[in-house]
Each structure stands twice: as C-alpha cells, then as structure tokens.
Amino acid sequence: EIRHEVSAMKTMVKQPNPDPPYSLHDAYILKLQVEEDILRLITQCGYVCTTPPCNQVEGDVEITGIDWEFSCVYVMEYQGVLCGNYGSFTGRKITVADFLWEYPEATLDIMDETYGYHQVKLDGFLNVGERCLEFQLDICYAGEFRYLLKE
C-alpha cells in the first residue's frame, strides 16, 4: 500500500495565464515577415477584442526577441480524411526559416492559440494553393508580444 503524506508538502497553485486583450482565433494571416529577431504576422482583417462587445479590430501582430533555434513549424498532411479530422497524416517539423522558404505564398487560418512562459503556439490550417494542410507554429521569444492596431 502506497500512502502519500499531502499535509507535509507545501502546495503551490499555478495561476491561470491572464486572458490576452485580443484573440487570434479565426485570424487569417496573409504573410509572415522576418526582420532580425522579429516575426510579424500580417493579417487580412485583424483579430477580435476579448472584452465585450468583442469587436473585430484591424491590425497585425509582432513578436520580438525570437529565439530562432528553438522556434519551429509542424506541417501535417492528412491521408484519406479531410484536413483537421481524426485520422492518419504525414508531417514534418521544420525551422521557421525553412517554412518561409518552402511556403512563401501560403496563408494561415489560425484556429487556436496557446501562451506560456516566453512562448506562443498557433495552430490551424495552412493554405497552399488548392491544398489544405494543418500547421502548428511554435515560437520561443524573449521580447514582447505586440498587437499593432491600425487606426
């Protein structure tokens, strides 16, 4: 019999991450631009404010202090099922630089976003011409996550 002495342990509760002021869910990314350690996501129509009335706002996103060595993109192509459904897929994990070189004209439909300590993960659909793939963009950064609002 295994017994745990919980009362002898100090308990720390992880606080949830604060809600971001804007959501990238359903944001349509036309282009990823890189300048030194900055990644800019150029949106078609911006993103949504997370406070009521939750209006759409025009703007782009800029992430600074990117650690390119620890940032990557997973690209998945489904086999025998529609993209995004349960089933078999083939895929690769590649650097962001390789992703930008291999998919220069691709657009991204962001379906989900996850934030952690100096990291962001964006998931969704990668549109390459008539092909629909799935992607996960994992970014490690030491700078700022900026919402660039257009007036």
Side-chain angles (χ1 to χ4, degrees), residues 9-136:
M9 292 185 215
K10 182 177 180 180
T11 302
M12 298 293 295
V13 176
K14 179 193 165 302
Q15 296 300 313
N17 288 336
D19 290 332
Y22 301 96
S23 173
L24 298 180
H25 175 72
D26 283 341
Y28 190 73
I29 308 301
L30 297 172
K31 185 175 183 178
L32 300 176
Q33 282 182 342
V34 173
E35 185 176 321
E36 295 179 16
D37 70 342
I38 298 172
L39 178 65
R40 189 167 183 174
L41 287 69
I42 309 298
T43 70
Q44 181 181 44
C45 298
Y47 29 82
V48 175
C49 183
T50 58
T51 55
C54 301
N55 292 328
Q56 182 86 10
V57 296
E58 291 284 329
D60 298 328
V61 170
E62 193 172 77
I63 308 167
T64 68
I66 303 288
D67 186 334
W68 298 112
E69 186 175 342
F70 293 103
S71 297
C72 65
V73 183
Y74 296 86
V75 177
M76 296 156 275
E77 185 165 13
Y78 284 80
Q79 309 294 310
V81 295
L82 291 175
C83 183
N85 287 312
Y86 293 108
S88 297
F89 62 86
T90 60
R92 305 182 298 147
K93 176 181 179 180
I94 58 177
T95 66
V96 174
D98 286 344
F99 175 79
L100 294 172
W101 185 80
E102 289 185 40
Y103 301 99
E105 302 298 320
T107 59
L108 307 174
D109 282 315
I110 298 177
M111 295 293 119
D112 201 11
E113 57 194 316
T114 307
Y115 301 95
Y117 182 71
H118 291 290
Q119 63 181 350
V120 60
K121 295 181 188 299
L122 301 174
D123 301 287
F125 301 109
L126 171 65
N127 306 298
V128 184
E130 296 296 316
R131 293 172 57 209
C132 181
L133 309 173
E134 191 169 341
F135 78 93
Q136 178 176 307

